[in-house]
Amino acid sequence: RNLYNGLLKMRFFEFNSEITLKFEGAYILNEEIIRTENITFRTLSPILLEYDVDGKKEPLLPLNNSEFTEFNKHFTAVHHRILRDIRTENNKKGPGLYKELEFFPLKIRKKVVKHTLHGFRELTGKPYMMLTCFEGCFDLKGDPRDLQMFYQIGIGLRTGQGFGMVEVVG
């Protein structure tokens, strides 16, 4: 409500000299309630997943069937850490995942995104970074409480920057 009211008053928000957001209106969508252990999602924005290989971040993509078990292992580990942080109370880490996740690609494709952040530009002198992501439709199996949380906060990394937003399709 506060965000909506603020946007109504501002109408324009200048990110920098090149990018300005013009608020034209908004409407509330009814949120799905997830009650089953298996749900089909479609990405609204690319999902970014990375894992550390010898100190270097490598993209984690569900595209190669021979490495699919490895993908699910890393996918579950990343999301367990995310939920432990989100479910933290009184400076005590939360429970993380209630049940291991299983990711089943239905129609997935790789997507490379040019992404920029002020700190990145200052640190590297480069105008943007290239992030290897994926998008499309997939089934996700797990505890309904975890699935509901991912539907609300997004899947993968950098969800606060708009990555990993999904909608329920089945």
Side-chain angles (χ1 to χ4, degrees):
R1 189 178 78 191
N2 291 338
L3 173 64
Y4 177 79
N5 290 336
L7 288 170
L8 282 176
K9 288 179 184 175
M10 289 180 59
R11 288 299 211 201
F12 292 94
F13 179 79
E14 189 173 313
F15 287 98
N16 59 37
S17 61
E18 299 172 8
I19 302 172
T20 301
L21 171 74
K22 178 183 176 188
F23 180 71
E24 294 181 354
Y27 53 95
I28 306 274
L29 297 175
N30 290 331
E31 184 176 274
E32 296 279 340
I33 304 297
I34 297 173
R35 293 183 173 93
T36 63
E37 290 190 351
N38 195 19
I39 197 80
T40 302
F41 286 119
R42 180 174 69 207
T43 58
L44 298 172
S45 60
I47 294 174
L48 174 66
L49 286 168
E50 296 174 324
Y51 66 107
D52 197 46
V53 177
D54 298 326
K56 184 180 178 199
K57 291 187 181 192
E58 293 290 333
L60 182 61
L61 302 171
L63 303 174
N64 186 342
N65 288 340
S66 65
E67 299 171 2
F68 199 67
T69 302
E70 196 68 16
F71 173 84
N72 263 315
K73 182 178 97 176
H74 289 294
F75 184 86
T76 294
V78 165
H79 289 91
H80 179 71
R81 286 191 303 272
I82 289 169
L83 288 188
R84 282 193 71 203
D85 289 342
I86 288 174
R87 292 176 172 155
T88 295
E89 289 187 32
N90 301 322
N91 292 326
K92 184 178 177 188
K93 291 284 184 189
L97 290 170
Y98 293 118
K99 183 177 179 184
E100 190 168 321
L101 297 172
E102 291 180 69
F103 183 99
F104 303 97
L106 299 175
K107 189 174 181 183
I108 297 290
R109 68 183 183 132
K110 178 175 150 181
K111 174 85 173 181
V112 177
V113 176
K114 291 181 183 178
H115 187 59
T116 188
L117 294 170
H118 180 70
F120 174 82
R121 291 190 307 271
E122 282 187 346
L123 185 66
T124 65
K126 297 177 182 177
Y128 54 82
M129 61 180 95
M130 302 294 281
L131 299 173
T132 304
C133 308
F134 65 91
E135 61 186 7
C137 289
F138 57 93
D139 283 339
L140 192 57
K141 185 176 181 182
D143 186 282
R145 295 169 290 179
D146 296 337
L147 300 177
Q148 184 73 39
M149 183 71 79
F150 292 126
Y151 169 56
Q152 292 171 329
I153 66 168
I155 294 174
L157 305 172
R158 296 183 186 254
T159 56
Q161 296 169 14
F163 288 87
M165 300 296 109
V166 293
E167 68 178 342
V168 175
V169 292

XYZ file of all heavy atoms in Angstrom, residues 69-151:
701
model
N 21.134 -34.695 -12.067
C 21.211 -35.008 -10.634
C 22.054 -33.959 -9.925
O 21.700 -33.509 -8.842
C 21.808 -36.409 -10.420
O 20.999 -37.343 -11.107
C 21.872 -36.765 -8.954
N 23.134 -33.572 -10.543
C 24.011 -32.537 -9.982
C 23.278 -31.194 -9.912
O 23.403 -30.451 -8.938
C 25.277 -32.418 -10.842
C 26.410 -31.686 -10.187
C 27.013 -32.438 -9.004
O 26.790 -33.641 -8.832
O 27.721 -31.782 -8.226
N 22.501 -30.867 -10.944
C 21.721 -29.633 -10.935
C 20.768 -29.617 -9.744
O 20.705 -28.635 -9.002
C 20.923 -29.472 -12.231
C 19.973 -28.300 -12.193
C 20.419 -27.027 -12.498
C 18.655 -28.464 -11.778
C 19.556 -25.929 -12.419
C 17.789 -27.381 -11.699
C 18.247 -26.120 -12.015
N 20.009 -30.688 -9.552
C 19.048 -30.742 -8.447
C 19.731 -30.621 -7.088
O 19.201 -29.983 -6.183
C 18.202 -32.021 -8.509
C 16.870 -31.784 -9.186
O 16.201 -30.803 -8.914
N 16.498 -32.669 -10.074
N 20.915 -31.197 -6.956
C 21.665 -31.102 -5.690
C 22.021 -29.639 -5.393
O 21.777 -29.140 -4.296
C 22.937 -31.956 -5.771
C 23.753 -31.963 -4.492
C 24.966 -32.863 -4.630
C 26.142 -32.000 -4.999
N 27.416 -32.709 -5.092
N 22.566 -28.944 -6.380
C 22.931 -27.537 -6.188
C 21.687 -26.656 -6.040
O 21.670 -25.730 -5.228
C 23.789 -27.033 -7.350
C 25.171 -27.588 -7.365
N 26.099 -27.298 -6.393
C 25.788 -28.424 -8.232
C 27.233 -27.924 -6.658
N 27.062 -28.617 -7.761
N 20.653 -26.927 -6.829
C 19.401 -26.168 -6.760
C 18.824 -26.232 -5.352
O 18.450 -25.212 -4.767
C 18.412 -26.751 -7.780
C 17.117 -25.992 -7.881
C 17.013 -24.899 -8.722
C 16.000 -26.376 -7.152
C 15.816 -24.194 -8.835
C 14.802 -25.686 -7.263
C 14.714 -24.591 -8.098
N 18.783 -27.428 -4.777
C 18.267 -27.602 -3.420
C 19.150 -26.891 -2.401
O 18.645 -26.216 -1.502
C 18.150 -29.107 -3.082
O 17.143 -29.678 -3.927
C 17.766 -29.334 -1.636
N 20.462 -27.006 -2.531
C 21.379 -26.375 -1.574
C 21.235 -24.846 -1.578
O 21.181 -24.217 -0.515
C 22.820 -26.766 -1.896
N 21.160 -24.252 -2.767
C 21.004 -22.795 -2.876
C 19.710 -22.353 -2.200
O 19.687 -21.404 -1.411
C 21.022 -22.348 -4.360
C 20.507 -20.931 -4.518
C 22.419 -22.482 -4.940
N 18.629 -23.055 -2.463
C 17.329 -22.646 -1.932
C 17.185 -22.948 -0.440
O 16.470 -22.244 0.266
C 16.199 -23.243 -2.773
C 16.140 -22.583 -4.108
N 16.836 -23.059 -5.198
C 15.532 -21.443 -4.514
C 16.639 -22.246 -6.218
N 15.862 -21.258 -5.834
N 17.888 -23.954 0.039
C 17.914 -24.212 1.477
C 18.559 -23.025 2.208
O 18.036 -22.535 3.207
C 18.680 -25.512 1.773
C 18.775 -25.830 3.220
N 17.687 -26.248 3.963
C 19.817 -25.781 4.081
C 18.055 -26.446 5.217
N 19.344 -26.172 5.309
N 19.692 -22.543 1.665
C 20.369 -21.387 2.277
C 19.485 -20.140 2.220
O 19.415 -19.371 3.181
C 21.707 -21.121 1.583
C 22.780 -22.122 1.944
C 24.164 -21.693 1.469
N 24.253 -21.453 0.040
C 24.531 -22.387 -0.866
N 24.730 -23.631 -0.500
N 24.612 -22.073 -2.149
N 18.812 -19.927 1.103
C 17.938 -18.756 0.965
C 16.844 -18.789 2.029
O 16.601 -17.795 2.718
C 17.332 -18.691 -0.460
C 18.417 -18.325 -1.480
C 16.172 -17.702 -0.512
C 17.993 -18.496 -2.930
N 16.175 -19.932 2.184
C 15.084 -20.016 3.153
C 15.583 -19.957 4.595
O 14.892 -19.422 5.463
C 14.237 -21.268 2.925
C 13.355 -21.235 1.678
C 12.425 -22.434 1.651
C 12.549 -19.949 1.580
N 16.779 -20.484 4.862
C 17.339 -20.352 6.221
C 17.502 -18.881 6.574
O 17.214 -18.469 7.690
C 18.694 -21.062 6.328
C 18.549 -22.559 6.467
C 19.821 -23.210 6.870
N 20.077 -22.862 8.261
C 21.268 -22.885 8.818
N 22.322 -23.240 8.118
N 21.424 -22.570 10.074
N 17.962 -18.077 5.623
C 18.137 -16.647 5.869
C 16.790 -15.943 6.012
O 16.607 -15.110 6.894
C 18.934 -15.997 4.744
C 20.401 -16.402 4.761
O 20.875 -16.892 5.809
O 21.070 -16.235 3.733
N 15.851 -16.260 5.152
C 14.544 -15.599 5.198
C 13.771 -15.965 6.453
O 13.093 -15.125 7.038
C 13.737 -15.935 3.923
C 14.357 -15.186 2.753
C 12.262 -15.601 4.076
C 13.771 -15.512 1.430
N 13.877 -17.204 6.862
C 13.122 -17.677 8.032
C 13.856 -17.455 9.346
O 13.472 -17.983 10.379
C 12.785 -19.158 7.844
C 11.787 -19.384 6.716
C 11.534 -20.842 6.466
N 10.430 -21.005 5.516
C 10.260 -22.065 4.747
N 11.105 -23.081 4.808
N 9.243 -22.121 3.915
N 14.899 -16.639 9.323
C 15.658 -16.313 10.528
C 14.790 -15.506 11.487
O 14.096 -14.579 11.076
C 16.922 -15.511 10.159
O 17.782 -16.344 9.397
C 17.663 -15.028 11.390
N 14.835 -15.879 12.764
C 14.131 -15.128 13.805
C 15.069 -14.915 14.980
O 15.794 -15.817 15.375
C 12.889 -15.900 14.277
C 11.781 -15.930 13.260
C 10.512 -16.562 13.817
O 10.273 -16.417 15.032
O 9.797 -17.188 13.037
N 15.039 -13.711 15.521
C 15.863 -13.366 16.684
C 17.326 -13.743 16.469
O 17.966 -14.330 17.328
C 15.326 -14.047 17.950
C 13.902 -13.643 18.231
O 13.516 -12.497 18.026
N 13.099 -14.590 18.687
N 17.846 -13.434 15.290
C 19.239 -13.717 14.915
C 19.579 -15.201 14.936
O 20.738 -15.572 15.031
C 20.219 -12.937 15.803
C 20.130 -11.454 15.538
O 19.890 -11.028 14.411
N 20.314 -10.670 16.570
N 18.577 -16.060 14.885
C 18.794 -17.502 14.836
C 18.318 -18.015 13.479
O 17.196 -17.749 13.078
C 18.023 -18.200 15.962
C 18.278 -19.670 16.042
C 17.527 -20.293 17.199
C 17.775 -21.796 17.180
N 16.932 -22.485 18.142
N 19.213 -18.724 12.776
C 18.881 -19.233 11.444
C 17.611 -20.064 11.481
O 17.384 -20.838 12.394
C 20.017 -20.083 10.879
C 21.259 -19.299 10.527
C 21.065 -18.545 9.239
C 22.350 -17.846 8.836
N 22.156 -16.963 7.725
N 16.793 -19.893 10.443
C 15.538 -20.627 10.328
C 15.756 -22.040 9.830
O 16.870 -22.477 9.589
N 14.649 -22.776 9.631
C 14.745 -24.190 9.266
C 15.177 -24.469 7.834
O 15.513 -25.596 7.509
C 13.318 -24.702 9.494
C 12.453 -23.507 9.335
C 13.271 -22.349 9.829
N 15.174 -23.490 6.954
C 15.499 -23.772 5.556
C 14.365 -24.522 4.899
O 13.196 -24.317 5.218
N 14.705 -25.417 3.977
C 13.682 -26.204 3.288
C 13.052 -27.214 4.234
O 13.740 -27.839 5.034
C 14.295 -26.971 2.110
C 14.752 -26.168 0.902
C 15.554 -27.064 -0.041
C 13.577 -25.549 0.175
N 11.763 -27.403 4.102
C 11.074 -28.439 4.871
C 11.207 -29.796 4.186
O 11.088 -30.838 4.820
C 9.597 -28.093 5.055
C 9.382 -26.885 5.936
C 8.771 -25.743 5.442
C 9.794 -26.884 7.264
C 8.571 -24.635 6.245
C 9.608 -25.781 8.074
C 8.988 -24.659 7.564
O 8.803 -23.564 8.363
N 11.479 -29.777 2.879
C 11.627 -31.005 2.105
C 12.521 -30.696 0.914
O 12.457 -29.608 0.350
C 10.251 -31.486 1.635
C 10.239 -32.781 0.883
C 8.817 -33.180 0.528
C 8.842 -34.487 -0.246
N 7.501 -34.860 -0.691
N 13.356 -31.659 0.513
C 14.239 -31.472 -0.633
C 13.422 -31.142 -1.887
O 12.329 -31.658 -2.092
C 15.053 -32.745 -0.866
C 16.146 -32.569 -1.872
C 17.116 -33.730 -1.884
O 17.436 -34.244 -0.801
O 17.550 -34.101 -2.987
N 13.971 -30.275 -2.725
C 13.298 -29.875 -3.955
C 13.697 -30.785 -5.109
O 14.823 -31.283 -5.165
C 13.676 -28.433 -4.318
C 13.274 -27.355 -3.333
C 13.889 -26.024 -3.730
C 11.759 -27.241 -3.241
N 12.766 -30.968 -6.043
C 13.055 -31.681 -7.283
C 12.566 -30.806 -8.434
O 11.397 -30.449 -8.489
C 12.352 -33.030 -7.320
C 12.908 -34.022 -6.326
C 12.174 -35.350 -6.417
O 12.344 -36.042 -7.455
O 11.429 -35.663 -5.492
N 13.476 -30.466 -9.321
C 13.214 -29.593 -10.458
C 13.089 -30.456 -11.710
O 13.954 -31.286 -11.991
C 14.375 -28.601 -10.595
C 14.216 -27.594 -11.678
C 13.771 -26.315 -11.394
C 14.528 -27.907 -12.996
C 13.634 -25.363 -12.398
C 14.398 -26.966 -13.999
C 13.950 -25.695 -13.703
N 11.999 -30.269 -12.470
C 11.775 -31.014 -13.702
C 11.538 -30.024 -14.844
O 10.482 -29.394 -14.898
C 10.545 -31.929 -13.566
C 10.634 -32.895 -12.417
C 10.031 -32.586 -11.199
C 11.305 -34.100 -12.538
C 10.100 -33.464 -10.137
C 11.377 -34.987 -11.473
C 10.775 -34.667 -10.272
N 12.504 -29.849 -15.756
C 12.312 -28.900 -16.857
C 11.243 -29.398 -17.824
O 11.177 -30.583 -18.136
C 13.681 -28.851 -17.525
C 14.342 -30.125 -17.163
C 13.789 -30.543 -15.827
N 10.405 -28.495 -18.269
C 9.398 -28.816 -19.281
C 9.796 -28.182 -20.611
O 9.936 -28.856 -21.616
C 8.013 -28.335 -18.845
C 7.490 -28.952 -17.544
C 6.168 -28.326 -17.138
C 7.354 -30.464 -17.690
N 9.989 -26.876 -20.588
C 10.443 -26.147 -21.777
C 11.343 -25.020 -21.273
O 10.863 -23.962 -20.887
C 9.263 -25.597 -22.560
C 9.646 -25.024 -23.889
C 8.450 -24.615 -24.708
C 8.936 -24.079 -26.045
N 7.808 -23.609 -26.840
N 12.632 -25.266 -21.269
C 13.617 -24.346 -20.698
C 14.595 -23.926 -21.783
O 14.984 -24.728 -22.624
C 14.401 -25.037 -19.552
C 13.476 -25.406 -18.399
C 15.551 -24.187 -19.061
C 12.944 -24.244 -17.616
N 14.999 -22.663 -21.723
C 16.058 -22.208 -22.626
C 17.008 -21.289 -21.865
O 16.632 -20.638 -20.893
C 15.488 -21.520 -23.852
C 14.830 -20.202 -23.562
C 14.215 -19.620 -24.825
N 13.657 -18.323 -24.496
C 13.851 -17.229 -25.191
N 14.594 -17.256 -26.274
N 13.319 -16.093 -24.827
N 18.217 -21.255 -22.346
C 19.255 -20.392 -21.777
C 18.988 -18.952 -22.177
O 18.527 -18.679 -23.290
C 20.613 -20.860 -22.304
C 21.792 -20.058 -21.855
C 23.044 -20.739 -22.384
C 24.143 -19.761 -22.656
N 25.344 -20.421 -23.178
N 19.287 -18.030 -21.263
C 19.092 -16.594 -21.527
C 20.283 -15.852 -20.931
O 20.577 -15.999 -19.741
C 17.785 -16.131 -20.884
C 17.508 -14.668 -20.942
C 16.852 -14.319 -22.235
C 16.412 -12.862 -22.196
N 15.751 -12.482 -23.408
N 20.979 -15.066 -21.734
C 22.089 -14.247 -21.247
C 21.558 -12.831 -21.063
O 20.943 -12.258 -21.967
C 23.282 -14.282 -22.209
C 24.400 -13.368 -21.713
C 23.786 -15.715 -22.381
N 21.782 -12.290 -19.866
C 21.241 -10.981 -19.500
C 22.391 -10.011 -19.256
O 23.345 -10.328 -18.540
C 20.377 -11.097 -18.216
C 19.884 -9.745 -17.763
C 19.229 -12.061 -18.434
N 22.287 -8.824 -19.855
C 23.206 -7.729 -19.529
C 22.629 -7.041 -18.307
O 21.485 -6.579 -18.334
C 23.291 -6.724 -20.677
C 23.973 -7.224 -21.899
C 24.001 -6.127 -22.952
C 24.610 -6.597 -24.241
N 24.580 -5.539 -25.270
N 23.421 -6.971 -17.241
C 22.940 -6.414 -15.978
C 23.960 -5.407 -15.473
O 25.157 -5.653 -15.530
C 22.749 -7.554 -14.967
C 22.115 -7.153 -13.687
N 20.869 -6.579 -13.610
C 22.551 -7.260 -12.408
C 20.567 -6.347 -12.354
N 21.574 -6.749 -11.604
N 23.469 -4.286 -14.967
C 24.397 -3.269 -14.470
C 24.049 -2.862 -13.053
O 22.882 -2.835 -12.671
C 24.413 -2.036 -15.403
O 25.457 -1.160 -14.974
C 23.092 -1.308 -15.406
N 25.067 -2.610 -12.297
C 24.954 -2.088 -10.938
C 26.047 -1.045 -10.752
O 27.162 -1.208 -11.264
C 25.139 -3.195 -9.895
C 24.068 -4.279 -9.842
C 24.521 -5.413 -8.957
C 22.764 -3.696 -9.331
N 25.731 0.007 -10.024
C 26.689 1.084 -9.799
C 28.003 0.546 -9.218
O 29.089 0.880 -9.697
C 26.069 2.138 -8.882
C 26.977 3.289 -8.591
N 27.306 4.216 -9.547
C 27.646 3.632 -7.461
C 28.138 5.100 -9.013
N 28.350 4.762 -7.750
N 27.917 -0.319 -8.199
C 29.115 -0.870 -7.570
C 29.953 -1.686 -8.537
O 31.184 -1.628 -8.513
N 29.309 -2.445 -9.397
C 30.015 -3.241 -10.396
C 30.766 -2.335 -11.367
O 31.921 -2.576 -11.693
C 29.032 -4.141 -11.162
C 29.667 -4.883 -12.305
C 30.370 -6.050 -12.077
C 29.563 -4.409 -13.616
C 30.963 -6.741 -13.133
C 30.149 -5.082 -14.666
C 30.858 -6.254 -14.427
N 30.096 -1.268 -11.834
C 30.733 -0.346 -12.776
C 31.947 0.321 -12.140
O 32.995 0.457 -12.778
C 29.733 0.703 -13.254
C 28.643 0.142 -14.160
C 27.807 1.228 -14.816
N 27.246 2.189 -13.886
C 26.076 2.065 -13.271
N 25.329 1.003 -13.487
N 25.642 3.000 -12.446
N 31.816 0.736 -10.883
C 32.944 1.378 -10.197
C 34.101 0.414 -9.982
O 35.260 0.776 -10.140
C 32.492 1.940 -8.847
C 31.747 3.238 -8.945
C 31.477 3.846 -7.578
O 31.636 3.145 -6.550
O 31.119 5.032 -7.539
N 33.778 -0.818 -9.608
C 34.804 -1.808 -9.306
C 35.548 -2.282 -10.549
O 36.773 -2.429 -10.528
C 34.167 -3.010 -8.592
C 35.091 -4.099 -8.102
C 35.996 -3.562 -6.993
C 34.295 -5.288 -7.596
N 34.815 -2.497 -11.653
C 35.424 -3.102 -12.838
C 35.688 -2.129 -13.976
O 36.473 -2.427 -14.865
C 34.520 -4.221 -13.394
O 33.299 -3.643 -13.845
C 34.256 -5.286 -12.347
N 34.996 -0.998 -13.980
C 35.108 -0.076 -15.100
C 34.310 -0.518 -16.313
O 34.328 0.125 -17.357
N 33.591 -1.628 -16.194
C 32.770 -2.135 -17.293
C 31.346 -1.595 -17.151
O 30.862 -1.400 -16.045
C 32.734 -3.661 -17.271
C 34.091 -4.302 -17.479
C 33.986 -5.807 -17.372
C 35.355 -6.456 -17.521
N 35.269 -7.920 -17.356
N 30.657 -1.377 -18.268
C 29.309 -0.815 -18.184
C 28.255 -1.808 -17.679
O 27.229 -1.410 -17.139
C 28.996 -0.395 -19.617
C 29.876 -1.253 -20.462
C 31.114 -1.523 -19.637
N 28.493 -3.111 -17.862
C 27.525 -4.111 -17.430
C 28.211 -5.467 -17.279
O 29.311 -5.688 -17.770
C 26.353 -4.210 -18.406
C 26.765 -4.453 -19.837
C 27.065 -5.729 -20.300
C 26.871 -3.392 -20.735
C 27.465 -5.945 -21.597
C 27.263 -3.608 -22.041
C 27.559 -4.889 -22.463
O 27.955 -5.106 -23.752
N 27.525 -6.360 -16.580
C 27.998 -7.737 -16.439
C 27.077 -8.633 -17.266
O 25.923 -8.287 -17.518
C 27.993 -8.172 -14.973
C 26.636 -8.156 -14.313
S 26.678 -8.668 -12.587
C 26.791 -7.085 -11.771
N 27.588 -9.765 -17.685
C 26.801 -10.743 -18.426
C 26.458 -11.885 -17.471
O 27.349 -12.511 -16.900
C 27.594 -11.283 -19.615
C 28.056 -10.200 -20.577
S 26.714 -9.372 -21.412
C 26.342 -10.561 -22.647
N 25.165 -12.146 -17.287
C 24.707 -13.203 -16.397
C 23.998 -14.269 -17.228
O 23.099 -13.963 -18.007
C 23.759 -12.645 -15.344
C 24.352 -11.579 -14.420
C 23.275 -10.970 -13.538
C 25.472 -12.167 -13.580
N 24.414 -15.525 -17.062
C 23.807 -16.635 -17.783
C 22.699 -17.224 -16.932
O 22.945 -17.724 -15.839
C 24.855 -17.698 -18.132
O 25.907 -17.066 -18.875
C 24.255 -18.817 -18.959
N 21.483 -17.148 -17.444
C 20.286 -17.547 -16.714
C 19.505 -18.568 -17.543
O 19.954 -18.992 -18.587
C 19.388 -16.331 -16.481
S 20.190 -14.918 -15.726
N 18.311 -18.918 -17.049
C 17.400 -19.726 -17.845
C 15.979 -19.235 -17.628
O 15.671 -18.570 -16.648
C 17.537 -21.227 -17.546
C 17.139 -21.643 -16.154
C 15.829 -22.036 -15.872
C 18.078 -21.675 -15.133
C 15.464 -22.450 -14.602
C 17.714 -22.085 -13.860
C 16.404 -22.469 -13.590
N 15.113 -19.565 -18.588
C 13.713 -19.172 -18.500
C 12.854 -20.239 -19.154
O 13.357 -21.070 -19.909
C 13.475 -17.814 -19.161
C 13.813 -17.767 -20.630
C 13.700 -16.371 -21.222
O 13.486 -15.392 -20.493
O 13.834 -16.271 -22.450
N 11.558 -20.218 -18.840
C 10.632 -21.163 -19.435
C 9.700 -21.769 -18.410
O 9.430 -21.175 -17.365
N 9.217 -22.977 -18.707
C 8.278 -23.686 -17.831
C 8.963 -24.887 -17.190
O 9.776 -25.561 -17.830
C 7.075 -24.178 -18.626
S 5.977 -22.861 -19.145
N 8.586 -25.156 -15.950
C 9.160 -26.294 -15.232
C 8.223 -26.712 -14.107
O 7.399 -25.940 -13.636
C 10.547 -25.950 -14.667
C 10.560 -24.761 -13.746
C 10.423 -24.911 -12.371
C 10.723 -23.475 -14.252
C 10.435 -23.804 -11.529
C 10.731 -22.371 -13.416
C 10.592 -22.532 -12.050
N 8.351 -27.962 -13.706
C 7.661 -28.466 -12.520
C 8.629 -28.400 -11.363
O 9.835 -28.645 -11.524
C 7.222 -29.925 -12.708
C 6.000 -30.080 -13.584
O 5.247 -29.098 -13.734
O 5.791 -31.181 -14.114
N 8.116 -28.066 -10.204
C 8.919 -28.048 -8.991
C 8.174 -28.839 -7.934
O 6.991 -28.597 -7.689
C 9.169 -26.610 -8.518
C 10.208 -26.408 -7.431
C 11.574 -26.967 -7.849
C 10.339 -24.925 -7.085
N 8.877 -29.806 -7.346
C 8.285 -30.661 -6.326
C 8.959 -30.374 -4.998
O 10.180 -30.260 -4.926
C 8.475 -32.134 -6.710
C 7.797 -33.097 -5.778
C 7.959 -34.521 -6.274
C 7.251 -35.483 -5.334
N 7.441 -36.881 -5.769
N 8.156 -30.230 -3.949
C 8.681 -29.966 -2.615
C 7.537 -29.734 -1.653
O 6.361 -29.926 -1.983
N 7.859 -29.299 -0.463
C 6.843 -28.985 0.540
C 6.040 -27.769 0.072
O 6.634 -26.774 -0.368
C 7.524 -28.691 1.884
C 6.528 -28.508 3.000
O 5.918 -27.411 3.079
O 6.350 -29.445 3.789
N 4.711 -27.810 0.161
C 3.891 -26.679 -0.288
C 4.253 -25.345 0.380
O 4.156 -24.294 -0.257
C 2.462 -27.101 0.075
C 2.492 -28.587 0.117
C 3.877 -28.946 0.585
N 4.720 -25.375 1.634
C 5.120 -24.133 2.305
C 6.340 -23.528 1.633
O 6.437 -22.306 1.473
C 5.409 -24.388 3.793
C 4.183 -24.827 4.580
C 4.558 -25.312 5.950
N 5.282 -26.593 5.821
C 5.766 -27.283 6.848
N 5.618 -26.832 8.088
N 6.387 -28.426 6.662
N 7.286 -24.371 1.213
C 8.470 -23.888 0.500
C 8.085 -23.369 -0.887
O 8.543 -22.299 -1.306
C 9.509 -25.001 0.342
C 10.075 -25.488 1.664
O 10.030 -24.735 2.657
O 10.560 -26.639 1.697
N 7.246 -24.112 -1.593
C 6.827 -23.711 -2.937
C 6.088 -22.378 -2.895
O 6.290 -21.522 -3.761
C 5.958 -24.796 -3.568
C 6.608 -26.172 -3.749
C 5.606 -27.164 -4.319
C 7.849 -26.087 -4.613
N 5.251 -22.181 -1.877
C 4.528 -20.917 -1.715
C 5.512 -19.763 -1.505
O 5.369 -18.690 -2.094
C 3.553 -21.004 -0.536
C 2.697 -19.771 -0.353
C 1.618 -19.645 -1.416
O 1.019 -20.632 -1.820
N 1.366 -18.441 -1.876
N 6.511 -20.006 -0.685
C 7.518 -18.973 -0.412
C 8.265 -18.594 -1.696
O 8.453 -17.411 -1.981
C 8.498 -19.466 0.647
C 9.528 -18.444 1.051
S 8.874 -17.100 2.025
C 8.759 -17.868 3.607
N 8.657 -19.582 -2.498
C 9.382 -19.277 -3.735
C 8.495 -18.569 -4.743
O 8.963 -17.721 -5.492
C 10.002 -20.539 -4.340
C 11.104 -21.091 -3.493
C 11.080 -22.406 -3.078
C 12.155 -20.287 -3.088
C 12.095 -22.908 -2.279
C 13.165 -20.778 -2.282
C 13.135 -22.095 -1.878
N 7.226 -18.905 -4.766
C 6.273 -18.205 -5.621
C 6.199 -16.729 -5.220
O 6.140 -15.842 -6.062
C 4.909 -18.887 -5.505
C 3.752 -18.145 -6.128
C 3.765 -17.774 -7.470
C 2.636 -17.830 -5.379
C 2.692 -17.111 -8.043
C 1.556 -17.173 -5.938
C 1.590 -16.810 -7.266
O 0.531 -16.155 -7.828
